[in-house]
Amino acid sequence: MAVAFFSYSCKNLGKDEFVKAPSGLEYKLYSQNKEGEYELKEAKHDTTSAAYKAKLDKVMSFEMEYRNAKDSLLFSTKDNAMPIQIKMVASPNKGSIEEAFLMLDKGDSAVFRINADTLFAKTFRSPLPPFIEKGSFLTFFVKAINLQTEQEAMADYPKMMERQQKEMEARAAKQGPVDEKLIQEYVKKNNLQVQKTPSGVYYVVTQPGTGPNATDGKVVSVKYKGTLLNGKEFDSSEKSNGGKPIEFPLGQNQVIKGWEEGIKQFNKGSKGTLLIPSPLGYGSMARGAELPANSILRFDVELVDIKDAPAAPAGPQGPAGPGGPGL
């Protein structure tokens, strides 16, 4: 399969055999020739070379997507309308995704195959999500589009965010009316007494709590169960976190936008339901067979606790890892 980030000038791109690096990392590396066609490129594994050292501590911008062993799309920068920015650092983990990124020069494209257990344990530092099989491999399709100093990357970040916002608004304008009709039908059928946030998240508080509502800069602990409108469960804190609430800071985009806004409608100890249109959820990105693209999400939530926490500064981000409601 040729990923959409690559040029159609190479029809067989991605069908070549994987090469195995000394570390065990499997890859296919490509560069463009003067005619704009992609050609196989030999990777350099000399970590003492000047070219390798020149990348260290720089920020590389990537277009990227990765898929599970069944070829289901798990993440795509195309869906987020924003490239991934990653600081290039030497990793002690052999065969890691960090090693893979350092193989690319600006303009290169590549396909990498990474063990999912190792990726989540050592890079994402989170449990393996239920929709990824233990012991399986994930396939990454990446294109290196820029290499900058940290200062240059930070200067570009607000512009990237502005472009992302405009693109996401355009997508929401197209998909929003479709989801709105389906949610309204669901609300009427189930006789729900809902309220609606300005961005379009529907919510019901079924059990009031105490104190003020959660706000940006606070760390919240939430128990949840996620289902589609047909009642099919795709995730829960019971399954993903051993029954314990998940904990995350509000206002730092660590969860889907529907959660960022929806959780703020609750205070400590309260329970309720969120109905999240797909543009504020996972959009056109499927999360395994249980969660198709453009899914409207229902979350039954309990806000267990709210704590103070300093807000983290915005800046270049690491590779995105799926897991939990929006991570």
Side-chain angles (χ1 to χ4, degrees), residues 235-250:
D235 193 15
S236 70
S237 52
E238 184 69 32
K239 291 195 303 184
S240 298
N241 208 36
K244 298 178 182 179
I246 64 165
E247 191 172 276
F248 61 93
L250 280 172

Side-chain angles (χ1 to χ4, degrees), residues 139-209:
T139 303
F140 285 72
F141 300 84
V142 299
K143 181 177 178 66
I145 59 175
N146 207 356
L147 181 66
Q148 302 170 291
T149 64
E150 284 193 84
Q151 292 77 13
E152 290 169 336
M154 289 290 288
D156 279 353
Y157 194 73
K159 299 175 185 177
M160 292 170 60
M161 290 293 291
E162 184 179 356
R163 288 195 298 269
Q164 181 194 42
Q165 181 66 26
K166 290 180 179 179
E167 175 66 21
M168 298 304 283
E169 287 175 356
R171 294 182 187 183
K174 183 177 180 179
Q175 183 65 30
V178 178
D179 290 2
E180 179 72 14
K181 182 175 182 293
L182 292 172
I183 292 175
Q184 289 283 2
E185 292 172 352
Y186 181 84
V187 166
K188 183 177 180 180
K189 180 180 178 180
N190 291 275
N191 195 29
L192 298 177
Q193 303 301 311
V194 297
Q195 299 182 72
K196 185 181 179 182
T197 69
S199 68
V201 176
Y202 286 82
Y203 66 96
V204 182
V205 178
T206 57
Q207 175 181 297

Side-chain angles (χ1 to χ4, degrees), residues 16 24 41 46 51 67 77 96 102 122 124 128 136 142 148 151-152 154 159 177 179 186 201 205 221 267 273 307 317:
D16 306 281
K41 177 181 178 181
D46 182 5
R67 296 172 175 266
T77 53
S96 66
L102 274 166
K122 295 184 177 181
F124 296 154
L128 195 68
S136 65
V142 299
Q148 302 170 291
Q151 292 77 13
E152 290 169 336
M154 289 290 288
K159 299 175 185 177
D179 290 2
Y186 181 84
V201 176
V205 178
S221 298
N267 55 7
T273 298
K307 297 184 292 187
Q317 55 188 301

